């Protein structure tokens, strides 16, 4: 499947946040990328603000337009507040759960671990990053992948208590999705209501 493989620092600088890269890039060049990034810009329109928020969510979770649109349409048909349901769906993607459990240092790395068949769900290998993990399911590291350096390095010193909707078992290197996260528990700086308004136009 297609995915963004361009320079991460350009995305971070576009939104003024460390979405894909590191804070040091932003501190070194605190303006947008490109030839005219440091020049004064016109005020962004209301539509532009909503579009930027959608783009930020897509880049944050590594989802492309068609898949994101499908997720929004399902969220709009589900019970509950559409924006919150959308974020919950993004948070319950397998690659994001692997990242939140500390098995991988970034979502990109988590996506790669899933794609290379290093991750199991309820004891079965799943290599689809967009797989929707359901409450009660257990996400674990495959037995022969437990000695991988990248996993050991990511887990070293990781604070598993910061996400109350996940439970981690160090002995088996597995985590359980206890329930879908509440909006207040999702740390991402995304104004989901703007995304709902954009798609409602």
């Amino acid at each position: 499947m297609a995915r963004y493989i361009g320079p991460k620092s350009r995305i971070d600088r576009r939104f003024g946040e460390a979405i894909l890269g590191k804070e040091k890039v932003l501190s070194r060049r605190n303006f947008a990328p490109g030839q005219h990034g440091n020049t004064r810009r016109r005020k962004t329109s209301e539509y532009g603000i909503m579009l930027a928020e959608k783009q930020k969510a897509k880049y944050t979770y590594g989802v492309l337009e068609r898949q994101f649109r499908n997720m929004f349409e399902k969220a709009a048909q589900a019970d509950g507040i559409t924006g919150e349901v959308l974020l919950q769906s993004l948070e319950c993607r397998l690659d994001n759960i692997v990242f939140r459990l500390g098995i991988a240092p970034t979502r990109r790395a988590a996506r790669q671990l899933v794609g290379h068949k290093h991750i199991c769900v309820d004891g079965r290998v799943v290599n689809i990053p967009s797989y929707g993990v359901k409450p009660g399911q257990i996400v674990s590291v495959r037995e022969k992948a437990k000695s991988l350096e990248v996993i050991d390095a990511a887990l070293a010193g990781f604070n598993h208590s910061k996400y109350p909707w996940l439970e981690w078992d160090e002995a088996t290197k597995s985590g359980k999705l206890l329930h879908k996260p509440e909006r207040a528990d999702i740390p991402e700086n995304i104004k989901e209501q703007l995304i709902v308004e954009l798609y409602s136009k």
Side-chain angles (χ1 to χ4, degrees), residues 122-134:
D122 287 342
R124 297 180 64 182
V125 174
V126 177
N127 65 339
I128 303 169
S130 61
Y131 176 88
V133 180
K134 298 176 179 62

Side-chain angles (χ1 to χ4, degrees), residues 137-158:
Q137 288 191 310
I138 295 173
V139 176
S140 60
V141 179
R142 195 176 178 184
E143 193 61 40
K144 61 182 180 181
K146 288 182 178 179
S147 59
L148 286 176
E149 270 184 48
V150 65
I151 294 176
D152 286 336
L155 287 171
F158 187 82

Side-chain angles (χ1 to χ4, degrees), residues 21-71:
K22 298 178 180 178
E23 294 285 355
K24 66 181 181 180
V25 176
L26 295 175
S27 62
R28 190 168 70 240
R29 294 181 179 178
N30 193 20
F31 52 85
Q35 181 181 356
H36 305 290
N38 205 17
T39 58
R40 191 171 180 180
R41 294 188 170 191
R42 284 182 290 177
K43 186 178 178 182
T44 307
S45 67
E46 184 182 341
Y47 177 82
I49 293 171
M50 292 187 290
L51 180 63
E53 206 62 31
K54 183 198 74 169
Q55 296 294 84
K56 186 201 295 186
K58 283 168 51 184
Y59 281 120
T60 298
Y61 289 98
V63 180
L64 295 182
E65 180 58 39
R66 183 179 293 180
Q67 195 175 18
F68 192 85
R69 179 81 193 218
N70 289 341
M71 293 182 79

Side-chain angles (χ1 to χ4, degrees), residues 106-122:
T106 64
R107 287 188 182 87
R108 280 186 167 191
R111 186 186 184 92
Q112 190 173 46
L113 286 177
V114 174
H116 289 181
K117 300 183 178 181
H118 295 315
I119 303 298
C120 297
V121 178
D122 287 342

Side-chain angles (χ1 to χ4, degrees), residues 151-163:
I151 294 176
D152 286 336
L155 287 171
F158 187 82
N159 178 16
H160 289 98
S161 63
K162 60 183 177 180
Y163 302 120

